[in-house]
Each structure stands twice: as structure tokens, then as C-alpha cells.
Amino acid sequence: MRLALLALLAAACGGSHPSRGTDVIESHAPPAKPRATPAPSVAFADGKFALNMLPAVARAGEAVIVPISGGDAGRGYPNLKLEIHDRSDKVVQTIDVMTSNEFETFVVDGKPGPALEKRIAAANAELVRQHNVHDLVAMHALEMQKPLDGGEPHLAIGDGMDVDWNRTHLHVLHHNTDREVTTYDGTPWLVKDHEPCPKCPPCENPAHLDGVWHANEINVLVIQVGYRGTDTCWEPADQMHVVVW
């Protein structure tokens, strides 16, 4: 069924494929079979995407599926792709659902057209397959803390952890202590200063913490890094990263 959906999509969308990537993550779950629990899924209604049980992590922690959207600051059109990360945060597979440039042809009166319906069906079929292979568990959001000084958010609390971003590093601590669970160098997650035009002043897009997700008893976090922008220096799309210990 999935192959048939992919073939239909390729014919409808100029040969593009909704799922990209060839790396395989070894499963630590029991042999593939229909699970007793439902798989994650995506839908589209009222002009926006709805995500069910995403992000999701393999019960044994070997794979994580994260939704990626945003990065269309000028128009604000909805867009979505799903990335499958391994424990090193490497993206091993991408499931394309809709880009911002496809919105005007894929969506009519706030409802998905045939091309988007096929993309969503293919994405959900792949999510079922991944669930059968990896036994996926939905991750829940930790509580973001509003800075008292009115600055950018940097701290999330929950599940006995404090997750703190200090501009270049991510610190995961046991709650209300200075005992570290793990520390990650977030320098590769930063956006370099750049000039939007030859005579324009350099743009700066400082990073902050936009969200943190965790599943109980699984030593994996999904970190959402956001960026500040201005009218002349639009913010890049948020990045999603996997942190393990």
C-alpha cells in the first residue's frame, strides 16, 4: 500500500518523494508486528496541521521522530516535514508532507486537496511502519519558565529535571540541584551572523529555548531551539535536536 501511495505521489508532484533517506536504525523492540498502542499521526484541518503523539521516541531510545515546521516568516504559510533522528542526532530519514511554497496549490478553502491528502496518507502509513518497528512512545512537553527579566526563554522544568540553555550549551540537571545529568555543546545549533544584502548591516539571530519534550523512563530529550528576528532580519525556522544520556 505504501509503495502504491508513493508512486501516485510521484506522478502527481513531479517525481518528488514524501520520504527521503536510506539509513536504517537498528530496532531494539520486539519483532515488528501490529502494536496494541496507536501510531503517531498527522492531519490537516482549518488551514493548519494537527499532530498526534509527536514528537515520539522508540521505547528503547534508538530513534526519535520530530515534526519540523515554520521558517516562512514573510507569509506564514503552514508547512510540515517529519525527521527521524538516531541517538547521535543524525537525520536518517525525512518524510515530506508540505512545503510553504506548495500551500497555495495543496490547500483549498482551508482544506487539504488531493495532493496533500496523498502526502498525509503516505506519512501516516510510514508512521505506522515506524511504530511497528520501533514501538514508538509519545513525548510530552516540559514546562517552559518565563524569565523574570523579560528576556528570551532558556529554562524548562519537569520529570525531575531542569533543562537550561545558556546561549552556547544545554545543561540537563537534576531538579533544583547543580548535579548534571548531561551537558551538550549547542554551538553547531547557532545561526551565524550574515548580511541579507551587499550593503545591509549584519543580521544576528540569537538562539533561545523554545520547547523540551520527554517520555517517562526514557533517557532522551527533544530540544526545540528558536531564534530571535526583526523586520529586516527574519528569524530562521526553529531547529529540533535529540539529546541522550
Side-chain angles (χ1 to χ4, degrees):
M1 177 62 73
R2 178 171 176 267
L3 291 177
L5 288 169
L6 290 174
L8 286 170
L9 181 60
C13 302
S16 63
H17 294 279
S19 184
R20 295 178 279 119
T22 57
D23 291 355
V24 176
I25 300 176
E26 181 181 354
S27 174
H28 296 166
K33 60 182 180 180
R35 302 287 175 190
T37 55
S41 62
V42 300
F44 190 91
D46 300 324
K48 60 185 179 181
F49 284 102
L51 306 176
N52 180 41
M53 298 178 61
L54 288 167
V57 59
R59 193 173 299 277
E62 74 272 11
V64 183
I65 301 180
V66 297
I68 307 292
S69 62
D72 192 48
R75 299 172 300 182
Y77 286 166
N79 54 86
L80 177 66
K81 65 179 178 180
L82 306 177
E83 290 182 348
I84 303 178
H85 293 230
D86 66 11
R87 288 180 62 81
S88 70
D89 199 30
K90 178 183 177 182
V91 179
V92 299
Q93 184 178 344
T94 300
I95 304 169
D96 297 318
V97 183
M98 185 178 75
T99 67
S100 296
N101 290 335
E102 292 171 326
F103 170 74
E104 292 181 316
T105 56
F106 276 29
V107 177
V108 180
D109 296 329
K111 299 179 181 179
L116 180 53
E117 287 180 340
K118 292 175 182 177
R119 289 271 184 94
I120 291 173
N124 286 334
E126 180 62 16
L127 288 171
V128 169
R129 190 186 75 83
Q130 293 290 334
H131 184 42
N132 289 340
V133 172
H134 294 291
D135 194 8
L136 298 172
V137 177
M139 305 178 80
H140 55 266
L142 303 191
E143 183 178 353
M144 292 296 303
Q145 307 299 301
K146 186 176 181 179
L148 297 178
D149 61 3
E152 299 290 352
H154 62 88
L155 177 65
I157 295 176
D159 296 350
M161 294 178 289
D162 296 342
V163 182
D164 190 29
W165 169 255
N166 73 349
R167 298 187 180 183
T168 59
H169 285 71
L170 185 83
H171 300 276
V172 183
L173 308 167
H174 293 281
H175 181 51
N176 276 346
T177 75
D178 58 1
R179 292 188 296 119
E180 288 193 345
V181 176
T182 187
T183 297
Y184 264 64
D185 180 5
T187 304
W189 306 345
L190 302 179
V191 174
K192 294 181 179 179
D193 293 352
H194 57 283
E195 295 181 357
C197 66
K199 295 184 179 181
C200 293
C203 280
E204 299 179 357
N205 296 112
H208 58 268
L209 193 63
D210 255 355
V212 179
W213 289 263
H214 179 242
N216 294 336
E217 301 181 357
I218 302 177
N219 294 339
V220 177
L221 295 175
V222 167
I223 306 297
Q224 182 174 4
V225 181
Y227 304 92
R228 188 171 69 241
T230 66
D231 290 340
T232 56
C233 296
W234 289 347
E235 64 273 14
D238 288 5
Q239 294 185 21
M240 306 287 274
H241 293 282
V242 170
V243 169
V244 305
W245 63 94

Short mmCIF file of all heavy atoms in Angstrom, two decimals, residues 103-104 113 127 160 170 187 199 212:
data_model
loop_
_atom_site.label_atom_id
_atom_site.label_comp_id
_atom_site.label_asym_id
_atom_site.label_seq_id
_atom_site.Cartn_x
_atom_site.Cartn_y
_atom_site.Cartn_z
N PHE A 103 1.65 25.35 -0.43
CA PHE A 103 0.40 25.61 0.28
C PHE A 103 -0.72 26.08 -0.64
O PHE A 103 -1.86 25.59 -0.57
CB PHE A 103 0.64 26.64 1.39
CG PHE A 103 -0.61 27.15 2.04
CD1 PHE A 103 -1.32 26.36 2.92
CD2 PHE A 103 -1.10 28.44 1.75
CE1 PHE A 103 -2.49 26.82 3.53
CE2 PHE A 103 -2.26 28.90 2.35
CZ PHE A 103 -2.95 28.09 3.23
N GLU A 104 -0.44 27.02 -1.53
CA GLU A 104 -1.49 27.61 -2.35
C GLU A 104 -2.10 26.62 -3.34
O GLU A 104 -3.24 26.81 -3.79
CB GLU A 104 -0.96 28.84 -3.08
CG GLU A 104 -0.64 29.99 -2.13
CD GLU A 104 -0.13 31.22 -2.85
OE1 GLU A 104 0.73 31.08 -3.75
OE2 GLU A 104 -0.58 32.33 -2.51
N GLY A 113 -6.24 19.48 -0.41
CA GLY A 113 -6.59 18.97 -1.73
C GLY A 113 -6.07 17.56 -1.92
O GLY A 113 -5.43 16.98 -1.03
N LEU A 127 4.48 6.31 9.43
CA LEU A 127 4.47 6.37 10.89
C LEU A 127 4.00 5.04 11.50
O LEU A 127 4.54 4.59 12.52
CB LEU A 127 3.60 7.52 11.38
CG LEU A 127 4.17 8.92 11.15
CD1 LEU A 127 3.11 9.99 11.46
CD2 LEU A 127 5.40 9.14 12.01
N GLY A 160 11.51 15.74 37.03
CA GLY A 160 12.67 15.73 37.90
C GLY A 160 13.91 16.34 37.30
O GLY A 160 15.01 16.14 37.83
N LEU A 170 23.71 23.42 26.37
CA LEU A 170 22.49 22.95 27.01
C LEU A 170 22.88 22.12 28.22
O LEU A 170 23.66 21.17 28.11
CB LEU A 170 21.67 22.10 26.04
CG LEU A 170 20.31 21.66 26.58
CD1 LEU A 170 19.29 22.80 26.40
CD2 LEU A 170 19.81 20.41 25.88
N THR A 187 26.85 24.86 20.17
CA THR A 187 27.42 25.77 19.18
C THR A 187 27.01 25.43 17.75
O THR A 187 26.68 26.34 16.96
CB THR A 187 28.95 25.80 19.29
OG1 THR A 187 29.30 26.15 20.65
CG2 THR A 187 29.56 26.82 18.35
N LYS A 199 24.87 45.68 0.96
CA LYS A 199 25.12 46.89 1.74
C LYS A 199 24.33 46.93 3.04
O LYS A 199 24.25 47.97 3.71
CB LYS A 199 24.80 48.12 0.90
CG LYS A 199 25.71 48.28 -0.31
CD LYS A 199 25.41 49.58 -1.07
CE LYS A 199 26.35 49.75 -2.26
NZ LYS A 199 26.09 51.01 -3.01
N VAL A 212 10.90 21.70 25.16
CA VAL A 212 11.60 20.47 25.53
C VAL A 212 10.56 19.37 25.71
O VAL A 212 9.52 19.60 26.35
CB VAL A 212 12.41 20.65 26.84
CG1 VAL A 212 13.11 19.34 27.20
CG2 VAL A 212 13.42 21.78 26.71
#
